[in-house]
Amino acid sequence: MAAPIATHILPETANISTWGRLFVGGLDVAAIAEEYGTPLFVYDEYHLRKRCQEAVSSFGTGVAYASKAFLCAAMAKLAYEEGMHIDVASSGEAYVALRAGVPADLLVFHGNNKSTAELTYALEHNFGRIVVDSFDELERLRRLANYGHARPKVLLRLTPGVEAHAHEYVSTGQEDSKFGFSIKSGAALEAIVQCRAETSGVQLMGIHAHVGSSVTAIESFEKVVAVMASFFVPLGLPELVIGGGLAAPYMNDDVNVSIRDWAAAVKSAATRAGISSSVVLSAEPGRAIVANAGLTLYRVGTIKDLPDVRTYLSVDGGMSDNIRPALYGAQYEAFLPRAADAERTKPFRIVGKHCESGDIIVRDAWLPEDTVVGDVLCTPATGAYGYAMASNYNKLPRPAVVFVNDGRTQLVVRRESYEDLLRNDIF
Ligand code: LLP
């Protein structure tokens, strides 16, 4: 048995009518599913803008939206309009941001294996920052400078040796990591020396660390700042970026740490560690901007009751629109937008339509007793790393994405067609 869905995991404008129907952006959510079909990603535009504004007011200019969490032209444009820089982790992400009208000098280019072609692309467009991740990359940049390219402004990504208490697949701050230069091994210092050499081909602006994702413990960030400070302060560099990683609430009982509180903790840890107030201290939140702004809507297609085992409820999407439960054991709530205030009294396992038993959306869900085939079902807090990690597995077309605001819908990514599934095939 589970209580009705908690409002702190829903988008900001979520509101439940006296008949129990969920409204977001002033619109009846189940009706949006009728209009656009399912599966469907719905984002509350007001929520997205508020989170971007909060990031900018808490960290100041230079705070970047980690676009890997959710990127399409409309999202890049929105984050830019709200004053954010954009963190891109490939030249594909950069291409989308540039096409959406984001100026290149607001792009922060990440990646542990940027190719010479990608680096050339970044130099030709004058990306704002390149976050250098390896000696090989430094060597590539040095050679490109020799060929006459401008010397880019760079940050060095460091491995502070801090465990973030996150899932192994999204932990990056520990010594055993493919990312960054280790402080402990001396690689970080060696990289600084190389950057400062006359012939380096780069302008060193500062250092960067990202210790993991879905981090709930603010102390982990405070620890990173302390470790980074002892390395950073003697260098006298102007910029320090502490990455992203702030968790978002997925389940009714999850706590919600705001971007404002996160920034305040990071800033006071920096002051305690002796980092001068003239240093530009910044971050790159992804999940904290988009996770709770988004919802996924599915249609219930099959309910299979296995006596003395469990009841399987199948929806019309699955691991192709949300791989997170299969990949990280991620947990989600589920509810019916037509009865958002209802007690959820019946246990179900919510599964997708893919041909794998691991295709689970919610392992142990509770839904109202009267849930039936044909209902629209909602999993909230799917705005981060849902659409971004979607695939065409089993040749399912990827869902559409709709922004809602002030009683209006805006289709920002159309649903893929069967023809799209063949667009790269050569007959
Ligand atoms: N900066 C860097 C360098 C990163 O690698 C990441 C995430 C971020 C910022 C943004 O982190 P966020 O604020 O979103 O936690 N697919 C996984 C998450 C992978 C995160 C990878 N890097 C998931 O679904 O949980």
Side-chain angles (χ1 to χ4, degrees):
M1 164 114 174
I5 199 75
T7 48
H8 77 284
I9 59 176
L10 295 175
E12 284 223 7
T13 68
N15 151 42
I16 296 167
S17 75
T18 38
W19 300 279
R21 299 183 73 87
L22 176 70
F23 281 67
V24 175
L27 293 168
D28 183 317
V29 165
I32 305 172
E34 297 301 338
E35 185 178 350
Y36 289 94
T38 51
L40 182 70
F41 285 93
V42 176
Y43 284 82
D44 178 3
E45 186 179 335
Y46 176 85
H47 185 120
L48 293 171
R49 290 191 186 275
K50 282 295 261 202
R51 289 290 89 76
C52 292
Q53 289 160 13
E54 186 184 348
V56 174
S57 69
S58 309
F59 281 103
T61 320
V63 62
Y65 166 58
S67 68
K68 68 202 81 187
F70 167 57
L71 181 62
C72 62
M75 183 62 213
K77 184 162 168 281
L78 182 153
Y80 166 53
E81 283 168 359
E82 297 302 338
M84 294 195 83
H85 292 198
I86 311 286
D87 151 358
V88 293
S90 72
S91 43
E93 286 183 353
Y95 182 79
V96 171
L98 290 172
R99 285 291 306 273
V102 178
D105 65 343
L106 302 188
L107 299 184
V108 182
F109 192 21
H110 276 282
N112 65 303
N113 186 22
K114 305 179 195 77
S115 66
T116 302
E118 284 184 303
L119 291 171
T120 307
Y121 184 71
L123 297 180
E124 281 172 352
H125 286 82
N126 277 320
F127 284 12
R129 295 285 179 278
I130 296 178
V131 185
V132 176
D133 198 284
S134 68
F135 289 111
D136 289 316
E137 186 177 346
L138 270 182
E139 174 57 19
R140 277 175 212 147
L141 287 169
R142 195 185 58 75
R143 267 190 277 129
L144 287 168
N146 282 347
Y147 294 141
H149 284 286
R151 294 167 67 210
K153 293 194 166 94
V154 305
L155 304 175
L156 283 184
R157 177 159 178 175
L158 305 190
T159 317
V162 173
E163 307 271 347
H165 305 294
H167 190 285
E168 179 196 348
Y169 292 178
V170 295
S171 293
T172 50
Q174 70 283 4
E175 283 298 318
D176 182 358
S177 170
K178 72 169 180 168
F179 297 104
F181 298 96
S182 152
I183 296 181
K184 197 167 153 205
S185 74
L189 200 56
E190 171 58 21
I192 297 279
V193 171
Q194 289 195 16
C195 285
R196 285 183 160 165
E198 196 64 36
T199 54
S200 72
V202 300
Q203 302 175 59
L204 180 63
M205 301 302 291
I207 63 174
H208 172 286
H210 168 82
V211 290
S213 210
S214 262
V215 179
T216 42
I218 285 289
E219 311 83 69
S220 294
F221 294 105
E222 295 173 332
K223 219 153 106 190
V224 177
V225 172
V227 172
M228 298 283 278
S230 51
F231 183 82
F232 174 76
V233 172
L235 300 173
L237 290 167
E239 296 177 17
L240 176 62
V241 180
I242 51 110
L246 179 63
Y250 285 91
M251 305 296 289
N252 271 8
D253 294 337
D254 286 352
V255 288
N256 186 12
V257 180
S258 70
I259 295 176
R260 183 157 294 116
D261 290 347
W262 176 46
V266 164
K267 281 182 181 169
S268 59
T271 309
R272 285 197 302 277
I275 295 174
S276 153
S277 59
S278 64
V279 165
V280 177
L281 180 61
S282 204
E284 331 164 306
R287 190 184 317 264
I289 303 282
V290 293
N292 299 95
L295 313 163
T296 309
L297 302 178
Y298 300 104
R299 182 79 64 179
V300 178
T302 306
I303 298 180
K304 197 176 280 181
D305 197 13
L306 307 185
D308 302 325
V309 183
R310 69 176 73 253
T311 305
Y312 280 95
L313 180 153
S314 303
V315 295
D316 51 357
M319 64 198 301
S320 54
D321 59 73
N322 189 356
I323 189 76
R324 301 189 71 257
L327 199 53
Y328 316 115
Q331 295 191 319
Y332 289 87
E333 298 280 356
F335 67 100
L336 303 180
R338 68 163 168 84
D341 59 352
E343 290 288 327
R344 295 171 294 162
T345 51
K346 193 169 171 192
F348 290 92
R349 176 159 293 175
I350 301 176
V351 295
K353 61 185 275 121
H354 294 278
C355 49
E356 298 205 19
S357 298
D359 174 28
I360 295 168
I361 297 290
V362 186
R363 179 171 284 274
D364 296 302
W366 292 88
L367 292 169
E369 204 72 37
D370 66 350
T371 303
V372 289
V373 166
D375 266 328
V376 172
L377 180 135
C378 176
T379 47
T382 52
Y385 304 105
Y387 188 78
M389 295 170 82
S391 73
N392 287 129
Y393 184 38
N394 290 143
K395 289 288 187 237
L396 261 62
R398 278 178 297 181
V401 183
V402 169
F403 281 8
V404 294
N405 195 24
D406 238 349
R408 282 190 301 274
T409 54
Q410 184 194 354
L411 180 67
V412 295
V413 184
R414 69 164 170 77
R415 184 176 303 285
E416 282 180 331
S417 65
Y418 289 134
E419 228 13 71
D420 287 328
L421 299 175
L422 283 165
R423 70 175 175 256
N424 299 320
D425 284 41
I426 298 164
F427 288 86

